[in-house]
Amino acid sequence: MELPRGISQIMGVSDKSSADDLDRVGAALATAKNQVREAIQDLTGPEMEAIIKKLEEGEPLTQEEKDYVRSWIIGDAESYTRVENHLQTWLQEFRALQSAVQSYEGKEVTLQNLSNLHAILEDAVRVAADIEDFLEKKERIERFERSIQNIEQEDTQFIVDILKGQLQSEEV
């Protein structure tokens, strides 16, 4: 098996690229991301089937088996939080935007002031979404880590359902 080729060439955009160009790039990247996820599932599917059987029979999992479950349920979030290195930049930018918003508080209501504030708020919404996405993934990891340590019966069925769902989506 080989990692997908050509993805980096697809990402070749510039300041002369159009929104349509970026829409096509985004669609190609989403497809590539799904192909990578499916390759991970193909690579570990047989092990996962055995793990599901153990969970259904109430058998405890080894650490290696828990690691497989982890990779299927939160592997994407773990990888993202490990490689994403912009959180501090986003937080700094968000604080700067907060300061910019504050500078408009109490100003005269004019078309120019409203337009400028609108632009600042649009940027703040984008940065807040980036921060939220990162923190959501981090919190998802923390919830999983707490639950995988002592899997309760109701957690077991939930985990089995998730894993089976992923196995079935791989087979479709």
Side-chain angles (χ1 to χ4, degrees):
M1 180 188 304
E2 197 173 281
L3 292 177
R5 294 178 183 263
I7 297 171
S8 62
Q9 285 82 11
I10 292 169
M11 297 172 69
V13 298
S14 71
D15 58 351
K16 302 209 183 333
S17 298
S18 70
D20 286 342
D21 293 336
L22 268 290
D23 184 53
R24 283 188 290 277
V25 168
L29 291 173
T31 298
K33 183 179 134 189
N34 288 335
Q35 290 170 337
V36 168
R37 179 188 44 78
E38 289 171 12
I40 290 168
Q41 290 176 345
D42 287 344
L43 195 62
T44 59
E47 291 86 353
M48 195 53 61
E49 288 173 354
I51 290 168
I52 290 170
K53 188 173 191 244
K54 277 183 82 171
L55 286 169
E56 288 177 329
E57 293 173 357
E59 295 178 33
L61 299 181
T62 66
Q63 186 57 51
E64 182 180 13
E65 291 166 333
K66 287 180 181 180
D67 290 342
Y68 273 112
V69 172
R70 175 182 290 103
S71 73
W72 273 46
I73 294 180
I74 61 163
D76 62 322
E78 283 184 319
S79 296
Y80 177 82
T81 58
R82 187 173 47 255
V83 301
E84 177 52 65
N85 59 1
H86 293 97
L87 179 62
Q88 292 308 315
T89 302
W90 292 333
L91 290 169
Q92 185 178 10
E93 183 178 359
F94 198 74
R95 285 189 291 274
L97 291 164
Q98 177 188 20
S99 179
V101 167
Q102 186 177 24
S103 74
Y104 279 89
E105 291 175 2
K107 280 192 172 183
E108 181 182 352
V109 176
T110 66
L111 180 58
Q112 188 62 53
N113 284 344
L114 290 171
S115 295
N116 292 346
L117 181 58
H118 186 272
I120 294 166
L121 292 171
E122 183 175 349
D123 205 17
V125 166
R126 179 193 54 79
V127 176
D130 289 336
I131 295 168
E132 176 191 14
D133 184 55
F134 181 90
L135 294 177
E136 187 277 333
K137 286 173 174 53
K138 194 172 164 191
E139 290 166 8
R140 205 173 112 210
I141 293 166
E142 291 166 0
R143 283 191 308 272
F144 176 83
E145 291 301 336
R146 283 192 305 270
S147 70
I148 195 70
Q149 297 310 316
N150 297 309
I151 301 175
E152 302 292 330
Q153 185 59 37
E154 61 271 8
D155 297 331
T156 300
Q157 190 55 52
F158 181 69
I159 290 170
V160 166
D161 291 344
I162 290 172
L163 297 174
K164 280 184 173 181
Q166 289 179 342
L167 269 176
Q168 288 170 350
S169 72
E170 168 192 336
E171 295 167 359
V172 173

